[in-house]
Amino acid sequence: MQIDWPVLARQIALIIVPLVVVKLKIPDTIAAVISGPLVDLAATGIVVVGTALVGWVIFLGQRREQPAQQIAAVAALPSVEKVTVTSDRLAASIPSSKVVS
């Protein structure tokens, strides 16, 4: 069994990033200086950046795991004569005569 390192790294990031975002807070020394609504704004900014980072990781995973594109790339290889897929719909969505169901 081989480990798919990019997938493992994304899964770890999906666990670690939200935990780090929850643990981050504005240091008391800075909070004492800027106080009030600015502290709340900074805390909200940290959450927004963390959420955007998690969204980016999910986007990368979804883009990487699109089977139609991966199958089309394999079918484009000159050494491949035929690619058999289990779904007629998937085979029809790939513009290659090498892909059959």
Side-chain angles (χ1 to χ4, degrees):
M1 180 175 100
Q2 292 183 346
I3 295 174
D4 190 352
W5 292 106
V7 171
L8 181 62
R10 281 195 312 274
Q11 290 170 342
I12 290 171
L14 287 173
I15 294 168
I16 298 295
V17 170
L19 293 174
V20 169
V21 168
V22 167
K23 295 292 182 187
L24 284 179
K25 66 176 190 166
I26 307 301
D28 293 335
T29 54
I30 295 174
V33 174
I34 60 175
S35 74
L38 290 177
V39 174
D40 295 336
L41 183 63
T44 302
I46 290 171
V47 170
V48 168
V49 169
T51 303
L53 188 58
V54 168
W56 180 69
V57 169
I58 291 170
F59 168 75
L60 287 179
Q62 292 298 317
R63 192 178 77 182
R64 182 178 184 272
E65 301 301 326
Q66 294 180 0
Q69 291 176 351
Q70 291 180 354
I71 294 169
V74 169
L77 296 172
S79 60
V80 174
E81 293 180 20
K82 180 172 89 169
V83 177
T84 305
V85 295
T86 58
S87 168
D88 292 333
R89 187 171 154 208
L90 180 60
S93 71
I94 300 171
S96 175
S97 60
K98 293 180 180 180
V99 179
V100 295
S101 62

